[in-house]
Amino acid sequence: MKTSGRTASLVATAAAVLALTTACGQDNSTTPASAAQNVGATAPAGSPTTGAGLGTGTGAGNGYGADGNQSSSSPTAAAPAGKLTVAANPDLGNVLTDGSGLTLYRFDKDTANPPKSNCVDDCARTWPPVPANDATAGAGIDKSLLGEVTRADGTKQLTIGGWPAYRYAKDVNAGDVNGQGVGGKWFALAPDGKKASLASLPGLSVRKDPKLGDIIVDKNGRTVYRFLKDKAWPKVISNCAGACLQKWPAVAPVKPEDTQGVKKKGLMGFTRPDGAKQMTVNCWPIYTFSGDTAPGDTNGQGVGGTWYAVAPDGKPVGAPSS
């Protein structure tokens, strides 16, 4: 009986140790789905995405850009929107971003009139709704387009032109647009709430350059410049002609209503000596640069100490004070 009792005791002890080891192993080797996904869903710009089960933008089984393994628990609170900005993308034109530079998106299954979000649960973990409480409009953004919608859980979500705004969990760096076109239903937001595209850019608009700040771009997203040798008062005069004009093409006239974020005073066209029409901002002639090959390029900045990008009020950005 003593041997039998000792054997039973050893078996019970071994079973207890095994059970404890198994439990600890589960705790250390498997991260709960909801915890892993929430890290990725709220990762700030520049942070690595550590969320598990988020999937990629293509081949998504649930149509949200994730693999469908998310739990049904609520996502953690999303990061504040902050001051919204406009970023130039070579393929999409002007794209709306949050205060950290992360791209904002809209969902085709939502509605704008009236505003309504149809992205909840798993969808909202992959596409975290942008909070409305602290969002402000930066340069090139009409603040009257900013609004909010009350979600099913009672939280307030930012809307742009009526469309609920989201981030994408797989965008971890400023300027990422990994959510563009996911499931054929998710698209980057333009500053006016429309789907971002080069075709949707106004004649002149404002974007935030990482080095120069707020500068004017044309309908193709190309940087606009001023020539310090030109004149604005008392008469508009362009001193760029011939070979100069080939290198620095004049911007054609744009209707004031086809501009966004640009100061309206002195926004007009004038007739050049060769008979061609050219646009002005604050009465100063404006140009693009042949050395800029893609939207967002600023290769003309400071050339010859006389060419500078143009601020929304028409002033030359970074030019030496006279």
Side-chain angles (χ1 to χ4, degrees), residues 55-209:
T56 61
T58 57
N62 60 10
Y64 300 138
D67 63 6
N69 291 331
Q70 286 88 348
S71 71
S72 59
S73 61
S74 298
T76 53
K83 187 175 183 179
L84 306 183
T85 58
V86 179
N89 180 279
D91 299 314
L92 301 175
N94 281 349
V95 172
L96 192 63
T97 63
D98 67 10
S100 298
L102 292 176
T103 301
L104 302 187
Y105 297 88
R106 50 177 276 181
F107 185 31
D108 274 359
K109 289 188 176 181
D110 289 347
T111 59
N113 188 22
K116 179 175 171 51
S117 169
N118 290 305
C119 178
V120 296
D121 299 328
D122 287 351
C123 175
R125 274 177 284 281
T126 305
W127 302 90
V130 180
N133 56 345
D134 79 325
T136 57
I141 302 170
D142 184 350
K143 64 180 181 181
S144 69
L145 295 177
L146 274 59
E148 63 181 37
V149 62
T150 302
R151 296 177 53 79
D153 60 6
T155 59
K156 303 291 186 181
Q157 181 177 359
L158 175 68
T159 61
I160 308 295
W163 288 97
Y166 306 82
R167 300 183 180 96
Y168 182 44
K170 292 187 73 65
D171 284 350
V172 294
N173 297 310
D176 284 352
V177 288
N178 298 313
Q180 175 66 14
V182 167
K185 298 179 178 66
W186 291 92
F187 300 93
L189 272 164
D192 59 1
K194 296 178 181 179
K195 297 175 184 178
S197 70
L198 286 175
S200 69
L201 281 178
L204 292 175
S205 58
V206 177
R207 76 170 181 86
K208 183 174 287 295
D209 183 85

Side-chain angles (χ1 to χ4, degrees), residues 18-89:
L18 178 60
L20 180 61
T21 302
T22 301
C24 291
Q26 288 175 340
D27 288 343
N28 291 333
S29 64
T30 304
T31 303
S34 60
Q37 287 140 13
N38 286 341
V39 171
T42 58
S47 301
T49 300
T50 55
L54 289 173
T56 61
T58 57
N62 60 10
Y64 300 138
D67 63 6
N69 291 331
Q70 286 88 348
S71 71
S72 59
S73 61
S74 298
T76 53
K83 187 175 183 179
L84 306 183
T85 58
V86 179
N89 180 279

Side-chain angles (χ1 to χ4, degrees), residues 278-300:
Q278 183 173 0
M279 188 64 183
T280 72
V281 175
N282 198 19
C283 297
W284 289 95
I286 56 174
Y287 311 77
T288 54
F289 179 46
S290 61
D292 287 344
T293 58
D297 284 353
T298 56
N299 298 317

Side-chain angles (χ1 to χ4, degrees), residues 230-237 265-266 268 281-285:
D230 286 349
K231 300 292 182 181
W233 308 100
K235 180 182 178 180
V236 179
I237 297 175
K265 182 180 179 181
M268 61 184 187
V281 175
N282 198 19
C283 297
W284 289 95

